[in-house]
Coordinates of all heavy atoms in Angstrom, one line a residue:
Y104 N -4.5 -103.3 94.5 CA -3.3 -103.4 95.3 C -2.2 -104.1 94.4 O -1.0 -103.9 94.6 CB -3.5 -104.3 96.5 CG -4.3 -103.6 97.5 CD1 -5.5 -104.1 97.9 CD2 -3.9 -102.5 98.2 CE1 -6.3 -103.5 98.9 CE2 -4.6 -101.8 99.1 CZ -5.8 -102.4 99.5 OH -6.6 -101.8 100.4
L113 N 6.6 -101.1 85.8 CA 6.7 -101.0 84.4 C 7.1 -99.5 84.0 O 7.9 -99.4 83.0 CB 5.4 -101.3 83.7 CG 5.1 -102.8 83.7 CD1 3.7 -103.1 83.2 CD2 6.1 -103.6 83.0
W119 N 14.0 -96.4 82.6 CA 15.4 -97.0 82.5 C 15.8 -97.4 81.1 O 16.9 -97.1 80.7 CB 15.5 -98.2 83.4 CG 16.9 -98.8 83.4 CD1 18.0 -98.4 84.0 CD2 17.2 -99.9 82.6 NE1 19.1 -99.2 83.6 CE2 18.6 -100.2 82.8 CE3 16.5 -100.8 81.7 CZ2 19.3 -101.2 82.1 CZ3 17.2 -101.8 81.1 CH2 18.6 -102.0 81.3
I121 N 14.7 -96.2 78.2 CA 14.9 -95.0 77.4 C 16.2 -94.3 77.8 O 17.0 -93.9 76.9 CB 13.7 -94.0 77.6 CG1 12.5 -94.6 76.9 CG2 14.1 -92.6 77.0 CD1 11.2 -93.8 77.2
D132 N 22.3 -91.3 64.9 CA 22.2 -91.2 63.4 C 21.0 -92.0 62.9 O 21.2 -93.1 62.4 CB 23.5 -91.7 62.8 CG 23.6 -91.4 61.3 OD1 22.8 -90.5 60.8 OD2 24.5 -91.9 60.6
L133 N 19.8 -91.4 63.0 CA 18.6 -92.1 62.6 C 18.4 -92.1 61.1 O 17.8 -93.1 60.6 CB 17.4 -91.5 63.3 CG 17.4 -91.6 64.9 CD1 16.2 -90.8 65.4 CD2 17.4 -93.0 65.3
D134 N 18.8 -91.1 60.4 CA 18.5 -91.0 59.0 C 19.4 -91.9 58.1 O 19.0 -92.5 57.2 CB 18.6 -89.6 58.5 CG 17.6 -88.7 59.2 OD1 16.5 -89.3 59.5 OD2 17.8 -87.5 59.4
R145 N 25.3 -101.0 46.7 CA 25.7 -100.3 45.5 C 27.2 -100.3 45.3 O 27.7 -100.5 44.2 CB 25.1 -98.9 45.4 CG 23.7 -98.8 45.2 CD 23.2 -97.4 45.1 NE 21.8 -97.3 44.9 CZ 21.1 -96.2 45.0 NH1 21.7 -95.1 45.3 NH2 19.8 -96.2 44.9
R149 N 29.4 -102.1 42.4 CA 30.3 -101.4 41.5 C 31.7 -102.0 41.5 O 32.3 -102.1 40.5 CB 30.4 -99.9 42.0 CG 29.3 -99.1 41.6 CD 29.5 -97.6 42.0 NE 28.3 -96.8 41.9 CZ 27.8 -96.0 42.8 NH1 28.5 -95.9 43.9 NH2 26.7 -95.4 42.6
H169 N 40.6 -117.1 10.1 CA 40.0 -116.7 8.9 C 40.0 -117.8 7.9 O 41.1 -118.4 7.6 CB 40.7 -115.4 8.3 CG 40.7 -114.3 9.3 ND1 39.5 -113.5 9.5 CD2 41.6 -113.7 10.0 CE1 39.8 -112.6 10.3 NE2 41.1 -112.6 10.7

Side-chain angles (χ1 to χ4, degrees):
Y104 292 115
L113 288 175
W119 176 82
I121 290 173
D132 190 14
L133 296 177
D134 295 331
R145 286 181 183 169
R149 283 186 193 130
H169 298 287

